Every structure is written in C-alpha cells, then in structure tokens.
Amino acid sequence: MKKATDLKGTVLVEPTNLPEGYSFTKAEIRCPYSPQFKNDLRAEAKKKGAAVLSKKYEWTEAGQIVLKYMNGEDTLLLEYIALGSKASPAQKGYHYQTAEEARQKLQPEYRDSPQQNTLLWTEQGKQFRIITNEGNTLTQEDLIKIAETIVRR
C-alpha cells in the first residue's frame, strides 16, 4: 500500500465503504507492460552477443494493481489494469456477471469448477474489476458502491 501511494497516475485505494468484516490481506503491484522496452532489451542483448539481458526498469505508474480483502472464506478482489493508449474506448457503465452466468458460458465438462462474480468497467484505457467468490453475499449494488470509492486519479 505504501508503494501505491508513491505512484503517479491511477491507483487503487481502500474503499471508504469497505463492507463490515473484511480486512486487507494482500496487494500486488506490477510495472506497466511495455513491448517497446522488451524489444529494446532484446536488441541490446543481441548487440552484446547475450542470449538474455537484464536491466533495471524504472517505473512511476502501475501497470496492474490487485488488492485482496477477506472476510472468513469470502474474498473481495479489487483490480486495475492499464490497457494502454491503443485500448478500445470506455464502456458505458458497469458490466456485472454472476458466477452462474460465467459457468453457463463454459464447456459442459468445466461447469463444475468454481466461478466468480465480476463487476467490470473501463475508462480511458484503464480496466477495473471487482471480483467476489461464488456464494459471496455482496450484491451488484454493493460492488458498484465500492467501485465508486476505490480509484485515485
């Protein structure tokens, strides 16, 4: 969480209306994915005759952030992914899919696997998701209320 406060741009923060009983358990912050950096690194390695080259990657904006909260067996994941400037335009509103709806989209042989409830929205090349486990009592409306308080721009 401390690293996130040092980042520029979009950052996820703890919801101001975190449901009762949930507590922070884990965070992941990943650097922005840059195909150009990867290509430059490969070219530099080739020039030096090396198969692999490592180099410190300085970054000030997150490429992905995942915050995990738990309440007993119930999970609440908050996720941000930077899609980049070539991403499709913002979607209109929130898109919610229940675990059962996700299950029905699977091939029959995979329908017994655990699924998730997902609230998804995109804006300006950024994708946000709130994911809960199957059987979680948080509703679509609850997740939308949480969504309205988790993004710091």
Side-chain angles (χ1 to χ4, degrees):
M1 294 298 278
K2 182 183 181 322
K3 173 66 177 171
T5 60
D6 294 338
L7 295 173
K8 297 176 184 171
T10 302
V11 175
L12 293 184
V13 296
E14 184 170 300
T16 57
N17 54 354
L18 187 65
E20 189 173 328
Y22 280 87
S23 58
F24 175 77
T25 58
K26 181 179 169 183
E28 292 181 37
I29 301 175
R30 296 191 178 129
C31 64
Y33 176 74
S34 169
Q36 187 59 48
F37 178 79
K38 186 170 106 178
N39 292 339
D40 292 348
L41 197 59
R42 284 184 177 158
E44 191 175 334
K46 189 174 182 178
K47 277 184 187 176
K48 293 181 177 183
V52 176
L53 181 70
S54 66
K55 192 175 201 176
K56 187 173 180 177
Y57 186 33
E58 297 289 339
W59 51 282
T60 58
E61 292 189 27
Q64 180 179 18
I65 298 175
V66 179
L67 303 179
K68 182 177 182 180
Y69 296 86
M70 298 287 296
N71 179 6
E73 295 296 314
D74 284 336
T75 302
L76 176 65
L77 289 176
L78 313 176
E79 183 177 49
Y80 155 72
I81 301 172
L83 300 175
S85 59
K86 294 182 181 178
S88 60
Q91 294 175 337
K92 300 284 187 222
Y94 298 105
H95 299 275
Y96 182 71
Q97 178 175 273
T98 65
E100 185 55 35
E101 291 168 338
R103 178 174 288 106
Q104 293 308 314
K105 293 179 180 179
L106 295 173
Q107 297 292 328
E109 61 268 23
Y110 300 112
R111 289 188 180 156
D112 290 337
S113 64
Q115 297 301 310
Q116 302 167 320
N117 305 305
T118 305
L119 180 72
L120 170 77
W121 71 101
T122 61
E123 51 188 62
Q124 301 171 344
K126 298 169 177 86
Q127 181 182 78
F128 302 92
R129 293 191 304 177
I130 299 179
I131 301 167
T132 61
N133 56 291
E134 187 169 13
N136 193 306
T137 58
L138 294 175
T139 65
Q140 176 180 354
E141 292 75 23
D142 294 333
L143 299 184
I144 289 172
K145 287 177 186 173
I146 292 169
E148 292 170 346
T149 69
I150 64 169
V151 180
R152 182 196 85 199
R153 291 174 174 77

